[in-house]
Amino acid sequence: MTMRTKTTATDEKKEPSGIFFCNCLRKCVAYLLAPADPSNLGVFRIVFGILMMIDIPQERGMSSIFNNWQPDKCHFPMFNFLQPASVEWMHVIYVIMFLGAIGILLGLFYRLSCIMFMIPYWYIFLLDKAIWNNHSYLYGLVSIMLLLTDCHHYWSLDGLRNPKIRNAHVPKWNYAIFRFQIFLVYFFAGIKKLDRDWMTGYSMTGLSSKWVFDPFRSFLSDDAIDLFLVHISGLFYDLFVGFFLIFERTRVMGILFSLAFHGMNSQMFSIGMFSYTMMASLTLFCSYNWPKKILSRLPHWMGFATPLLDEAAPSDSCLYSPEANEEKLDNQTVEKKEKKNTGRKPNKTDQVTVSHKILLALFGCYVGIQCFLPYSHFITKGYNGWTEGLYGYSWDMMVHSWSTQHVRIKVVDGVTGNDVFIRPGAYIGGGRRRHSRWNSHPDMIKQYMTCLAEKIKEREELNITKPAIYLDVWRSLNRRFQQRFLDPNIDVVTAPWSPFAQTTWVLPLLSELSPWREKLEAIQREQLNTSVGNFTDIVFVADFPGLKLENFVSEELNTSITVLHGTVKIETNNENFTLGKNEEMKLPANDTHVVYTVSETPACWMYVYLNTTLMKNETLKQWITDPGTRPSARRKEEWQRKSMIEKCREFAYEKYMVFSVTFWNSYYAIGHLAFGLEYPEEDEDVEIQDGSVPQETEANSHISSSQEDSAASGSDGSVQSQNSDTNQDANQTEASILQKSRHEEKETLPNSKKEL
């Protein structure tokens, strides 16, 4: 008796869906392994190698290794076991990376050159989170993609050494991985710009003053340029330009928009080779053989300098259709041409090999990681502060603009109870970015305080064996109120921190006060229109219930405080005053007052500073009322009067000096390691203006109270913020209200070494 199996409708649907999935997977594999011309990738490899050779001495810091990587400084590695090598060995690491860039450019020992560039690059990148940015992260990703792909199949010295790969096909996934990554940079940047602060124009301000917007200034105000051209247009550009580049009909328009966009960025920001790298990457979206089409139009007498212009030869890394394998190879013309290109009779593969599967698996892993990593902050909660994660791999380019009003580091001896105040940035080497980034990320704050505690123990004159460090940081995000970033009553040295748990001692951003920004701008405009507006600074402050703010007012300032929301109690001259909403009070000069937040909700107030010194100094007064008379304005005018030849000569000389210093520093460092070569003695110290923060020496590190109070003011006598930082590295000036008391005992830590 035969048993009949009942077939259900569900079973009938499963088989076709499985077949459909297999067919789709097979077609996807066939497309990714299909052959493509290598010339497009070859040109990108050459351009990227050139750009990295320029980038390494400058933005990678090869010309300032001693300043950046002194072993006795505090650093911010991604993993604490990573530590910088000695200065001499850091020179060796940089030289290896530079040689790798040269090898990538020439296509010489290509895989080895990629490894020589990639490993030192990622080592230096992971060694210091404080200098991360998106394009530095992108360069590291490009180095990985170069290693995985066959960019040396065209216009390379390896092609001369090995005719088998010369002008040989590359699989299409080589192009797909680059196109995917560049598309992701644009698209994720657009997704991140859907942030409310960006869409309302608070992320980046002041860019309208740049000369690149001069053509729009005749019919748009500065505020309109900032909102519509910078923010709204930037949002739509990032969201859609990737799609414009993918589709052939819109590709030309996408390339033109991108050239204009990156050209403007190169003039507005100091971002090294990023703009030019992105311009070079646009060609990857063009046809695979566009370089051959252009080179074929050159005169015949230039043929000696051009690579092969013939059709690409078969390659073992590609998958060919059965029809391609059945082509007759007895055609003498075709066979001679292919033998000329490959050095052997072509063997077209029509079966997926193990190497194909491994490379496709790596391709899939890379795509998955890059899609997931920018949104992985729910796992790495310890790196989250007011923003999610570290700045660099999230593609949230220029979405967050910071200004730092005040940083105070108080060290309490756990044995005696005595306290000293440490200069913020002590034992941090390198440039301005290192000094400004650490105080906005809890992981870097923890690393710095731990390192600082060890340095304090080593200072015998301080006589502190068990330091407890309390940090008070006042910051503003995207033009909000200045507020505390972390709890000032927590000893950061012993405070818990984990990369996978939320940091409990970071205070939340007072986002409920964000609607106040329009009113704050109106108050500033109203004050600026007064007769003393040019000599007045306004600072808006918010604080949490139960906390207090100690603020010293310099003698040259005529200061008042006005409560905008909540209730505060002010203690000054041994008297207490309670102020509610819209109540105002004059504050005594040359004295410290304390503001207590006594309301149940956060309190907001504003300081209005009238600088009487500026009003009395005729020179400074003229600089403020007529900015064109300032020395900086005169220098700018002198630069504009110079001819293009003079500007190019000065630019070339500046770059020559950077590369010259890089070469000689590396020469003596490696010579010292290998042969004991001594460094030459200089009669005078020579400094390179690379934007680094000047380091104090033993002679000037201990600043007196009066000196430090005046140092908090600007060179022209105006009150300025002690630190400022934005993610786009734009300078900002704020009124400094959170100065230390003149009567507090101060102790600053000098650097243990002078500049070499």
Side-chain angles (χ1 to χ4, degrees):
M1 184 175 181
T2 304
M3 297 291 295
R4 293 185 178 180
T5 304
K6 186 177 181 180
T7 303
T8 63
T10 305
D11 295 332
E12 292 177 354
K13 291 181 180 179
K14 283 184 179 179
E15 184 175 353
S17 63
I19 295 175
F20 175 77
F21 175 78
C22 291
N23 289 336
C24 290
L25 182 61
R26 191 178 297 110
K27 290 180 180 179
C28 182
V29 170
Y31 173 80
L32 292 175
L33 294 176
D37 193 275
S39 57
N40 194 338
L41 282 179
V43 171
F44 177 77
R45 184 204 79 240
I46 293 172
V47 176
F48 182 77
I50 294 173
L51 294 176
M52 289 302 100
M53 289 173 60
I54 300 173
D55 180 84
I56 290 172
Q58 298 183 99
E59 195 171 8
R60 294 312 114 212
M62 190 176 179
S63 61
S64 53
I65 292 177
F66 181 82
N67 189 39
N68 293 337
W69 304 112
Q70 295 182 47
D72 60 336
K73 298 293 185 181
C74 295
H75 301 282
F76 305 95
M78 182 64 188
F79 308 103
N80 288 329
F81 65 83
L82 282 176
Q83 293 298 323
S86 65
V87 172
E88 287 83 3
W89 279 106
M90 288 300 294
H91 277 281
V92 174
I93 293 171
Y94 271 92
V95 168
I96 292 174
M97 180 168 61
F98 191 83
L99 292 176
I102 295 176
I104 291 173
L105 162 65
L106 300 176
L108 179 62
F109 302 109
Y110 177 70
R111 304 292 181 195
L112 177 61
S113 296
C114 288
I115 293 174
M116 290 172 61
F117 177 82
M118 182 184 70
I119 293 179
Y121 188 94
W122 280 103
Y123 168 71
I124 294 170
F125 180 80
L126 295 175
L127 207 55
D128 201 340
K129 296 172 292 186
I131 58 175
W132 280 13
N133 50 38
N134 291 279
H135 59 271
S136 297
Y137 175 61
L138 178 63
Y139 297 160
L141 296 180
V142 172
S143 70
I144 295 175
M145 292 186 288
L146 287 173
L147 178 64
L148 295 177
T149 56
D150 297 326
C151 295
H152 62 312
H153 280 197
Y154 192 75
W155 218 344
S156 68
L157 295 182
D158 280 349
L160 298 178
R161 295 173 51 251
N162 183 8
K164 178 181 176 181
I165 66 171
R166 187 183 184 191
N167 194 27
H169 282 136
V170 296
K172 286 186 177 180
W173 71 263
N174 283 200
Y175 285 96
I177 193 171
F178 280 103
R179 291 175 176 179
F180 161 79
Q181 184 60 69
I182 300 303
F183 173 85
L184 214 63
V185 171
Y186 289 119
F187 186 68
F188 274 5
I191 295 295
K192 299 287 185 174
K193 286 181 174 62
L194 293 174
D195 181 83
R196 184 180 182 87
D197 284 356
W198 181 275
M199 297 178 68
T200 51
Y202 288 107
S203 292
M204 299 181 66
T205 56
L207 288 183
S208 56
S209 61
K210 302 293 184 179
W211 70 267
V212 296
F213 293 110
D214 286 348
F216 306 96
R217 217 177 304 281
S218 59
F219 57 92
L220 288 176
S221 65
D222 287 350
D223 291 339
I225 291 175
D226 281 329
L227 177 60
F228 295 107
L229 293 185
V230 176
H231 289 86
I232 303 301
S233 297
L235 167 64
F236 281 99
Y237 170 81
D238 283 335
L239 274 178
F240 298 111
V241 72
F243 297 99
F244 275 60
L245 294 173
I246 288 175
F247 298 107
E248 187 174 357
R249 290 187 176 182
T250 56
R251 187 171 298 146
V252 174
M253 187 182 302
I255 290 176
L256 292 177
F257 276 125
S258 298
L259 290 175
F261 177 80
H262 293 298
M264 294 171 70
N265 282 347
S266 68
Q267 300 302 307
M268 290 190 293
F269 307 112
S270 299
I271 50 179
M273 298 294 106
F274 176 59
S275 298
Y276 309 104
T277 303
M278 295 304 292
M279 290 181 189
S281 69
L282 298 175
T283 60
L284 294 171
F285 292 88
C286 299
S287 62
Y288 303 125
N289 63 340
W290 71 264
K292 291 182 178 179
K293 293 179 180 179
I294 294 178
L295 293 174
S296 64
R297 298 177 180 271
L298 295 177
H300 293 291
W301 60 270
M302 296 184 64
F304 72 94
T306 59
L308 290 176
L309 303 180
D310 301 324
E311 291 186 7
S315 170
D316 293 337
S317 59
C318 300
L319 184 67
Y320 296 87
S321 62
E323 292 79 7
N325 253 348
E326 293 174 1
E327 290 180 354
K328 294 182 178 180
L329 298 178
D330 56 350
N331 186 304
Q332 297 299 321
T333 305
V334 175
E335 187 170 338
K336 286 181 180 179
K337 181 173 67 175
E338 292 180 338
K339 283 186 177 181
K340 178 182 177 182
N341 291 342
T342 64
R344 64 180 180 87
K345 193 172 181 177
N347 180 23
K348 298 182 177 180
T349 305
D350 60 357
Q351 297 294 327
V352 179
T353 63
V354 175
S355 62
H356 289 156
K357 294 178 180 179
I358 293 175
L359 289 173
L360 288 181
L362 292 175
F363 172 80
C365 290
Y366 181 89
V367 170
I369 291 173
Q370 292 306 311
C371 289
F372 172 74
L373 198 59
Y375 294 95
S376 62
H377 309 304
F378 67 95
I379 297 177
T380 56
K381 297 179 181 179
Y383 299 99
N384 300 341
W386 288 351
T387 60
E388 291 186 333
L390 296 168
Y391 184 68
Y393 62 88
S394 300
W395 307 120
D396 51 350
M397 290 175 279
M398 304 182 181
V399 175
H400 304 117
S401 175
W402 300 82
S403 68
T404 303
Q405 189 67 39
H406 172 72
V407 178
R408 189 179 72 168
I409 302 175
K410 180 181 178 181
V411 180
V412 179
D413 189 345
V415 178
T416 64
N418 297 330
D419 58 48
V420 294
F421 293 88
I422 306 300
R423 172 175 56 84
Y427 287 108
I428 296 180
R432 180 174 61 86
R433 191 177 298 168
R434 275 192 179 93
H435 286 254
S436 56
R437 285 270 182 89
W438 67 268
N439 53 33
S440 58
H441 298 280
D443 57 304
M444 285 190 269
I445 290 175
K446 179 68 175 180
Q447 286 178 313
Y448 181 42
M449 295 300 105
T450 303
C451 175
L452 197 57
E454 296 300 321
K455 301 297 182 184
I456 291 172
K457 292 178 185 178
E458 296 172 1
R459 297 293 298 272
E460 296 181 359
E461 65 271 24
L462 295 180
N463 194 25
I464 298 178
T465 58
K466 190 178 179 181
I469 303 181
Y470 300 89
L471 186 63
D472 198 12
V473 178
W474 289 79
R475 307 206 75 184
S476 170
L477 177 63
N478 291 343
R479 302 170 67 186
R480 291 177 173 85
F481 284 96
Q482 292 284 343
Q483 67 159 95
R484 280 190 168 96
F485 181 72
L486 64 158
D487 191 338
N489 301 315
I490 296 294
D491 174 17
V492 183
V493 178
T494 59
W497 181 85
S498 169
F500 306 109
Q502 195 70 35
T503 306
T504 56
W505 36 273
V506 172
L507 297 177
L509 178 67
L510 295 174
S511 55
E512 65 271 20
L513 301 178
S514 298
W516 274 85
R517 286 180 290 191
E518 292 186 12
K519 187 175 182 180
L520 303 186
E521 290 179 352
I523 294 174
Q524 288 178 321
R525 286 194 297 267
E526 181 181 353
Q527 182 64 39
L528 185 62
N529 292 330
T530 62
S531 59
V532 293
N534 288 323
F535 309 98
T536 303
D537 283 316
I538 303 178
V539 178
F540 301 98
V541 183
D543 203 4
F544 293 89
L547 297 181
K548 65 179 181 179
L549 164 65
E550 297 181 14
N551 185 22
F552 175 79
V553 178
S554 301
E555 59 183 350
E556 69 271 11
L557 298 178
N558 187 353
T559 308
S560 66
I561 181 173
T562 303
V563 178
L564 302 175
H565 178 74
T567 306
V568 301
K569 183 176 69 173
I570 301 176
E571 178 183 315
T572 179
N573 293 331
N574 297 322
E575 294 183 285
N576 293 328
F577 303 90
T578 301
L579 299 182
K581 184 177 180 180
N582 296 329
E583 292 184 335
E584 181 181 354
M585 175 183 173
K586 295 290 184 180
L587 296 172
N590 198 28
D591 194 15
T592 299
H593 64 273
V594 184
V595 182
Y596 297 88
T597 301
V598 296
S599 56
E600 295 181 357
T601 58
C604 313
W605 64 91
M606 69 175 182
Y607 285 101
V608 179
Y609 293 96
L610 176 61
N611 196 314
T612 56
T613 301
L614 290 181
M615 299 182 66
K616 296 176 182 178
N617 190 309
E618 293 299 328
T619 301
L620 300 178
K621 183 177 179 180
Q622 184 181 13
W623 287 358
I624 291 179
T625 55
D626 185 8
T629 60
R630 294 181 179 180
S632 59
R634 291 198 298 267
R635 288 193 297 268
K636 182 178 179 180
E637 185 179 354
E638 291 175 0
W639 172 259
Q640 292 175 345
R641 285 201 301 264
K642 291 182 179 180
S643 65
M644 185 59 65
I645 296 177
E646 291 176 323
K647 292 180 180 179
C648 291
R649 186 185 298 117
E650 291 189 17
F651 176 80
Y653 179 75
E654 178 185 349
K655 299 306 175 185
Y656 164 77
M657 289 302 299
V658 171
F659 279 84
S660 176
V661 169
T662 300
F663 170 78
W664 287 112
N665 283 348
S666 300
Y667 170 78
Y668 282 108
I670 297 176
H672 180 73
L673 279 176
F675 311 108
L677 183 65
E678 295 296 332
Y679 291 93
E681 295 184 1
E682 297 288 347
D683 294 334
E684 297 180 358
D685 293 335
V686 179
E687 296 183 0
I688 299 177
Q689 300 298 327
D690 60 350
S692 61
V693 175
Q695 302 298 312
E696 294 180 348
T697 61
E698 295 283 350
N700 63 6
S701 61
H702 294 273
I703 304 176
S704 65
S705 299
S706 59
Q707 287 174 325
E708 187 170 62
D709 289 335
S710 62
S713 300
S715 59
D716 59 355
S718 62
V719 182
Q720 300 177 353
S721 61
Q722 296 181 11
N723 299 288
S724 63
D725 171 41
T726 62
N727 279 348
Q728 64 267 28
D729 295 334
N731 294 326
Q732 295 187 3
T733 302
E734 299 283 351
S736 178
I737 61 162
L738 305 172
Q739 301 171 353
K740 301 171 187 174
S741 169
R742 184 184 298 272
H743 309 292
E744 290 177 345
E745 180 183 1
K746 299 179 178 65
E747 184 76 33
T748 58
L749 291 180
N751 295 318
S752 58
K753 283 188 177 181
K754 296 184 179 181
E755 290 296 315
L756 180 63

